[in-house]
């Protein structure tokens, strides 16, 4: 497989930012139910393999129905999944041709190629504002964000 180095960098950033967003959601859920970030709850329950991101988004929607970022969260999750799970290139012609570049097909419609650059840009454009809104929600529940230097 000959994936572009740029796509690998996009993938890394999308996954790292997704982890940060999920961490904020975990802190919001813990803050809501326990009034603090309860380590045992976060690591034993929220980080359990069976406690999916989808479940966490549903809980977030229940504890903060006024939060307007659920659709954005769903879209960012879809983009993250494309970066995490779609990277197998397919070739139109003879794969013996040196330098032939394959395509990564959209699993929802294999007639289309995934445009990782556009997906990355959409993710970046939407994630920053979402992180700010999640931070505000966390603080509205009594949580305190500490920015590291």
């Amino acid at each position: 497989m000959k994936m572009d180095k740029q796509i690998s960098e996009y993938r890394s950033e999308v996954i790292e930012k997704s982890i940060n967003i999920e961490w904020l959601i975990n802190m919001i859920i813990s803050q809501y139910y326990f009034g603090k970030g309860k380590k045992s709850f976060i690591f034993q329950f929220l980080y359990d393999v069976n406690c999916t991101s989808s479940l966490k988004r549903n809980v977030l929607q229940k504890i903060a129905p006024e939060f307007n970022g659920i659709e954005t969260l769903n879209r960012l999750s879809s983009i993250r999944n494309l970066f995490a799970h779609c990277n197998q290139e397919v070739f139109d012609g003879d794969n013996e041709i040196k330098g032939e570049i394959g395509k990564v097909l959209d699993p929802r419609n294999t007639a289309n190629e995934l445009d990782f650059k556009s997906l990355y840009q959409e993710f970046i454009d939407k994630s920053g504002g979402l992180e700010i809104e999640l931070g505000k929600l966390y603080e509205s529940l009594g949580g305190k964000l500490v920015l590291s230097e």
Side-chain angles (χ1 to χ4, degrees), residues 38-55:
K38 189 169 181 169
K39 188 167 67 171
S40 63
F41 175 72
I42 293 168
F43 288 103
Q44 292 175 14
F45 181 74
L46 294 176
Y47 275 106
D48 184 89
V49 68
N50 294 305
C51 191
T52 64
S53 295
S54 179
L55 174 63

Side-chain angles (χ1 to χ4, degrees), residues 52-63:
T52 64
S53 295
S54 179
L55 174 63
K56 294 174 191 181
R57 288 191 306 273
N58 288 344
V59 171
L60 178 65
Q61 193 169 23
K62 289 177 183 179
I63 65 178

